[in-house]
Amino acid sequence: MSNDDARDHEPADAPSPGASQTISGIGSDYYTEEIHGPLEYFTIDAFELAEGETIRELEIAYATFGELNDAKDNAILFPHMYSGTSKDMEMYVGEGLALDPSEYFIILPNQIGNGLSTSPHNVGGPMGQGDFPDIRISDDIRAQHRLVTEKFRIEELQLVLGWSMGAQQTYEWAVRYPEMVRRAAPIGGTARNPVLSGLLVDALIMALETDPNWDDGYYENQRDLRRGLRHHARIWALMGTSAELWREESWRDAGFSSLDDFLFNLWDNWFLPMDPNDLRCMAWKWKHADVGRITDGDLAAALDRIEAKTYVMPFEKDYVFPVADCQREAEMISDSEFHPIPSPWGHFGMFGFDPSDFEFIDERLGELLAEPV
């Protein structure tokens, strides 16, 4: 550079681009609208997390069905489970079903860290991959609350429901914003994560982190962690079902021709496309779910805050969120009913591999929505 060129150089009005502008996330063929359907995005400029860090330009991906009426009093919120997206619960939305879009405006938000909303694999800068901060269920619900109230100007929700981690989110909504939630349906999940469920989370995370290509979460391609993802899938095959399912080979009724077919075309097929850091993010928040944090650790006091008519709906043979834990919490809610779901599919009964499971859940949801509140 000549002296003349140096003299022509103008002072910059900002510092050099930092990591947030020069480091991008890693690609994924799985977390796309082609796979998960059309989405909208709600952006929060600076979102402070419960653990103290701040995510800049947090994006919450969501899908909606139906139309919000003029009174804005026909809204339902339906968050999803671990490893899932809004797409996975759409099976419960449809004309003639309890969640009928011709009657209700149904919002399906995606969790922080699920791959579609801001997540370890898709965020750039200093928070990407293994550096992504710990997220709590309360972070999701505070972000969803802003979506509901700022984007749609909704002041009450006719129903909040969800399965597994969706149930954890349902409880957090009903405890944190009791004046907004008219009805609640936690399905196959608890308000405080049980010890057994926490041990399952530890095993799932260990399956991922002991893959030889984990590299502290700084891998370049999730496909390199196929072994860890398969171990993760096998743990779910064991804990996500029931002894009866294996003993009676009830999986054959769902169209699987052999044990290998069942293991590969359900469990491996489900988990292998996913990003391990995204799974780890969701798993950590699942393990640490506890509405008692709102009331200084007092679970009974937290559940006593719930004003919603509540149907607690565990799966009878669920190893992940045992029916006894769900019943104990139901007894702490002033206006609750207990409706166990009789299914050999255990925790994964929500997917309706046995059509009677789907019908049972849909019927209970219809009854709950018909309850005067």
Side-chain angles (χ1 to χ4, degrees):
M1 178 185 295
S2 70
N3 288 337
D4 288 341
D5 291 336
R7 283 192 294 269
D8 292 339
H9 182 73
E10 296 292 332
D13 59 4
S16 298
S20 60
Q21 298 180 51
T22 59
I23 300 175
S24 61
I26 63 174
S28 171
D29 296 330
Y30 179 69
Y31 301 107
T32 65
E33 293 190 22
E34 288 74 21
I35 299 293
H36 298 284
L39 298 166
E40 297 178 74
Y41 296 86
F42 178 72
T43 302
I44 302 173
D45 291 339
F47 187 75
E48 186 174 349
L49 302 170
E51 294 296 295
E53 298 191 54
T54 297
I55 296 180
R56 308 289 173 181
E57 296 187 358
L58 173 72
E59 285 194 334
I60 300 299
Y62 64 95
T64 63
F65 295 87
E67 295 185 6
L68 186 62
N69 63 19
D70 292 339
K72 299 185 185 297
D73 64 356
N74 68 329
I76 290 174
L77 190 76
F78 193 177
H80 63 79
M81 72 297 190
Y82 173 77
S83 80
T85 72
S86 52
K87 178 71 172 180
D88 299 313
M89 294 294 94
E90 288 180 13
M91 61 187 292
Y92 283 91
V93 178
E95 292 194 16
L97 299 177
L99 307 186
D100 191 331
S102 67
E103 182 175 358
Y104 297 105
F105 179 62
I106 303 155
I107 308 168
L108 293 91
N110 287 276
Q111 289 186 47
I112 303 169
N114 84 322
L116 296 178
S117 293
T118 296
S119 303
H121 96 272
N122 65 24
V123 70
M127 284 190 172
Q129 295 184 275
D131 292 320
F132 199 75
D134 290 331
I135 309 295
R136 287 191 177 271
I137 293 289
S138 61
D139 295 322
D140 282 298
I141 273 47
R142 289 187 298 110
Q144 291 170 20
H145 180 264
R146 292 189 61 176
L147 165 67
V148 168
T149 59
E150 295 177 18
K151 172 67 177 180
F152 297 110
R153 306 296 178 187
I154 293 170
E155 297 181 356
E156 68 174 24
L157 294 163
Q158 290 301 321
L159 172 65
V160 179
L161 76 156
W163 163 48
S164 194
M165 281 189 76
Q168 292 178 329
Q169 293 171 79
T170 297
Y171 275 119
E172 185 79 21
W173 258 103
V175 171
R176 184 171 291 271
Y177 303 111
E179 72 288 350
M180 284 190 67
V181 182
R182 307 293 300 277
R183 301 171 184 83
I187 304 169
T190 54
R192 172 178 287 167
N193 197 49
V195 173
L196 180 62
S197 179
L199 293 174
L200 168 59
V201 173
D202 291 342
L204 294 171
I205 292 176
M206 187 178 297
L208 301 173
E209 293 185 345
T210 54
D211 187 293
N213 294 320
W214 170 249
D215 193 22
D216 292 327
Y218 304 112
Y219 47 85
E220 294 183 3
N221 191 322
Q222 65 86 20
R223 292 186 182 89
D224 294 336
L225 282 90
R226 181 180 177 86
R227 279 172 287 188
L229 287 164
R230 289 198 75 190
H231 291 161
H232 180 279
R234 287 297 184 272
I235 293 169
W236 265 118
L238 171 66
M239 290 295 294
T241 54
S242 73
E244 178 183 333
L245 183 83
W246 299 101
R247 182 174 58 252
E248 303 297 330
E249 296 189 351
S250 303
W251 40 265
R252 293 187 183 276
D253 297 333
F256 297 100
S257 60
S258 67
L259 180 59
D260 285 344
D261 180 40
F262 180 46
L263 291 172
F264 180 79
N265 282 305
L266 176 57
W267 305 101
D268 290 356
N269 187 58
W270 179 261
F271 287 108
L272 283 179
M274 298 180 184
D275 182 84
N277 272 315
D278 293 355
L279 290 171
R280 188 193 182 284
C281 174
M282 287 184 281
W284 190 92
K285 79 169 89 164
W286 157 16
K287 178 177 179 176
H288 293 89
D290 182 3
V291 298
R293 286 170 53 84
I294 297 173
T295 50
D296 297 323
D298 189 333
L299 179 62
L303 294 177
D304 190 54
R305 288 168 53 91
I306 296 177
E307 299 176 10
K309 176 64 181 181
T310 304
Y311 278 18
V312 177
M313 300 167 61
F315 293 97
E316 287 185 351
K317 296 177 174 63
D318 194 340
Y319 294 148
V320 183
F321 294 98
V323 66
D325 293 285
C326 298
Q327 184 168 14
R328 173 175 170 268
E329 292 181 350
E331 292 169 355
M332 299 181 191
I333 301 170
S334 60
D335 191 8
S336 71
E337 294 185 17
F338 192 62
H339 295 279
I341 304 164
S343 171
W345 281 87
H347 192 63
F348 273 70
M350 190 73 179
F351 279 135
F353 295 111
D354 183 336
S356 64
D357 297 341
F358 178 92
E359 292 168 6
F360 183 98
I361 294 168
D362 183 65
E363 288 173 3
R364 298 294 86 71
L365 293 177
E367 293 170 4
L368 177 57
L369 283 166
E371 291 266 12
V373 292

